Amino acid sequence: MAVRNIVQRGDLILQKKSRPVEKFDERLGQLIDDMKETLIQADGAGLAAVQVGVLRRVCIVDSLCKENTSAREFLELVNPEIVKEDGQQENEEGCLSVPEERGITRRPAAVQLKAQDRHGNWHIYSGKDIKARAFCHEIDHMNGILFTDRVIRSVHPRNGKQTGRNTQRRR
Ligand code: ZN
């Protein structure tokens, strides 16, 4: 396994649409393993392949989504598609590709998605609250969308204080 560099905002690859995974081979497994190592090192909750420069529809999401724990388990989502969504939430989001910014976004309160694993088998996953946000955030990455495109209120990254809508938005 190897830690890969996380692409930062400003790199145009983050605006590109990722292609579906068609080959479930060793290279895909290697990519997913590297993404896990990269995410652990960066201490994030989720990572899409485009964030390590690979335009394929692959992401990993922390399945526990708990802070202050060293226990990490990751869902491996290949070609994920949201099949059901419910309700609405407005909560704070951030991104390893936009480390200097956080903001409040509007997301479904709960989502159900189908996704393949590294071997090509389909599974159904459900998530609510922070996990629903993570699922939507990573699928957005696969469509070239950053959370900053969805921010309804900015949040100061240091003290968590909300500021005016446009004060910290940069594209
Ligand atoms: Zn992100």
Side-chain angles (χ1 to χ4, degrees):
M1 294 212 288
V3 172
R4 302 199 187 188
N5 287 329
I6 297 177
V7 174
Q8 298 296 299
R9 179 166 60 170
D11 192 320
L12 294 179
I13 197 172
L14 290 172
Q15 294 170 23
K16 291 188 179 161
K17 211 169 162 166
S18 297
R19 294 181 301 274
V21 170
E22 282 153 9
K23 275 192 215 153
F24 296 85
D25 55 8
E26 219 168 273
R27 230 175 127 199
L28 175 65
Q30 184 67 58
L31 169 66
I32 292 170
D33 288 342
D34 285 357
M35 285 170 64
K36 281 186 193 176
E37 199 168 318
T38 305
L39 186 58
I40 288 168
Q41 206 219 27
D43 199 24
L47 189 70
V50 63
Q51 292 180 279
V52 295
V54 178
L55 279 171
R56 289 288 176 181
R57 302 184 82 82
V58 180
C59 70
I60 55 173
V61 170
D62 188 324
S63 65
L64 303 170
C65 283
K66 280 184 191 146
E67 283 179 28
N68 305 318
T69 173
S70 55
R72 306 300 302 268
E73 277 173 39
F74 300 104
L75 301 177
E76 307 176 2
L77 308 174
V78 179
N79 299 327
E81 271 175 59
I82 290 175
V83 292
K84 206 174 137 190
E85 49 179 76
D86 257 316
Q88 201 179 78
Q89 59 171 318
E90 289 181 9
N91 271 303
E92 193 178 321
E93 245 175 81
C95 179
L96 293 172
S97 294
V98 194
E100 75 284 4
E101 197 169 321
R102 296 185 68 81
I104 307 288
T105 60
R106 190 171 289 139
R107 301 283 194 187
V111 297
Q112 199 172 73
L113 56 80
K114 61 171 190 174
Q116 285 167 286
D117 59 26
R118 66 173 70 195
H119 309 292
N121 303 308
W122 287 96
H123 305 272
I124 297 281
Y125 300 94
S126 299
K128 56 178 187 173
D129 305 324
I130 188 171
K131 210 194 259 184
R133 293 206 296 282
F135 286 160
C136 295
H137 180 113
E138 300 312 329
I139 289 174
D140 270 356
H141 270 305
M142 296 174 193
N143 295 320
I145 298 166
L146 290 176
F147 86 97
T148 49
D149 297 329
R150 297 192 184 276
V151 165
I152 53 174
R153 288 191 302 281
S154 293
V155 172
H156 193 283
R158 288 212 180 78
N159 58 16
K161 203 176 119 195
Q162 287 178 29
T163 57
R165 177 190 161 104
N166 292 314
T167 52
Q168 290 185 41
R169 284 186 86 180
R170 275 167 276 152
R171 286 170 196 252

